[in-house]
Amino acid sequence: MSIDAAPHYRELEPRQRRRLLLLTTLRAAVTVTVLLVLYYTLPLDRPLDRLNALWFLTGFLAFAAAVAWQVYAIIRSPYPRLRAIEAFSVVVPVFLLMFAGTYYLMETDRPGSFTVPLTRTDALYFTVTVFVTVGFGDITATTAPSRILVTVQMVAGLALVGVVARMIVSAVQINLQRMTSGTPPKEP
């Protein structure tokens, strides 16, 4: 549905709004679930080598492409606020799971990189505690490579919160302003 063909969210019947919100919530939940299932089932038992480093770099590039696509989708969406919810349901889990997978690989390949051996769940837990800056201290990086990676996550997390979140919010605002002014979206 294009922006021009869709009624404004406030013009929808309450039932239609609830349905849209339910579908958005369902898509977000399914996205997170699929990403978690992939994280727990993908074979992450390969040695940490240049190929895995290439995969990590590819993951960052895929993450950047996903962010760009999400911003584009928000700008083109008839319901940009709802689309932003879906965007965050992709961007944040992909970011967290990418680091969790890397921490798990690092600990599997080089035991002792962290204060405790990491299971996938431990790696995800550690990633989230670093991301939200809680840092309980029960798991810490002990080697230079693991500390460098944690530092990269910290800086990237700041960029995610500061830059990516702002891009998504700005895309919502741009779309809402365009819809209010009646200006159709520009074709790429």
Side-chain angles (χ1 to χ4, degrees):
M1 181 180 305
S2 75
I3 291 174
D4 300 329
H8 192 276
Y9 184 79
R10 291 185 186 130
E11 296 169 357
L12 295 173
E13 297 288 325
R15 180 176 170 199
Q16 292 172 309
R17 284 187 287 202
R18 281 191 304 272
R19 184 175 183 271
L20 272 174
L21 186 57
L22 178 65
L23 287 174
T24 298
T25 304
L26 183 61
R27 279 193 296 264
V30 167
T31 298
V32 171
T33 302
V34 166
L35 289 169
L36 282 170
V37 166
L38 286 172
Y39 171 72
Y40 279 102
T41 59
L42 286 174
L44 296 177
D45 54 356
R46 300 183 60 192
L48 195 58
D49 56 13
R50 289 179 190 221
L51 181 61
N52 281 333
L54 181 63
W55 276 112
F56 187 70
L57 179 61
T58 302
F60 265 123
L61 295 175
F63 176 76
V67 169
W69 171 254
Q70 294 298 334
V71 168
Y72 175 78
I74 291 166
I75 290 173
R76 305 282 303 160
S77 173
Y79 307 108
R81 290 181 182 115
L82 295 176
R83 190 68 188 94
I85 292 169
E86 291 181 49
F88 281 115
S89 75
V90 171
V91 170
V92 173
V94 166
F95 178 85
L96 295 173
L97 293 172
M98 185 175 58
F99 276 100
T102 305
Y103 293 143
Y104 177 75
L105 275 170
M106 181 176 274
E107 178 62 28
T108 302
D109 189 56
R110 295 190 180 122
S113 293
F114 298 89
T115 52
V116 298
L118 298 181
T119 64
R120 289 179 197 232
T121 301
D122 294 331
L124 182 56
Y125 161 81
F126 176 71
T127 304
V128 172
T129 61
V130 169
F131 179 70
V132 298
T133 67
V134 174
F136 291 121
D138 53 343
I139 302 173
T140 58
T142 58
T143 64
S146 62
R147 288 179 176 163
I148 289 169
L149 186 59
V150 170
T151 303
V152 168
Q153 183 197 340
M154 289 175 193
V155 172
L158 289 172
L160 178 70
V161 170
V163 176
V164 174
R166 181 66 188 146
M167 287 172 51
I168 290 173
V169 169
S170 293
V172 169
Q173 291 170 339
I174 288 167
N175 191 336
L176 291 173
Q177 287 173 352
R178 183 178 25 238
M179 288 189 311
T180 303
S181 70
T183 306
K186 295 177 184 175
E187 291 299 320

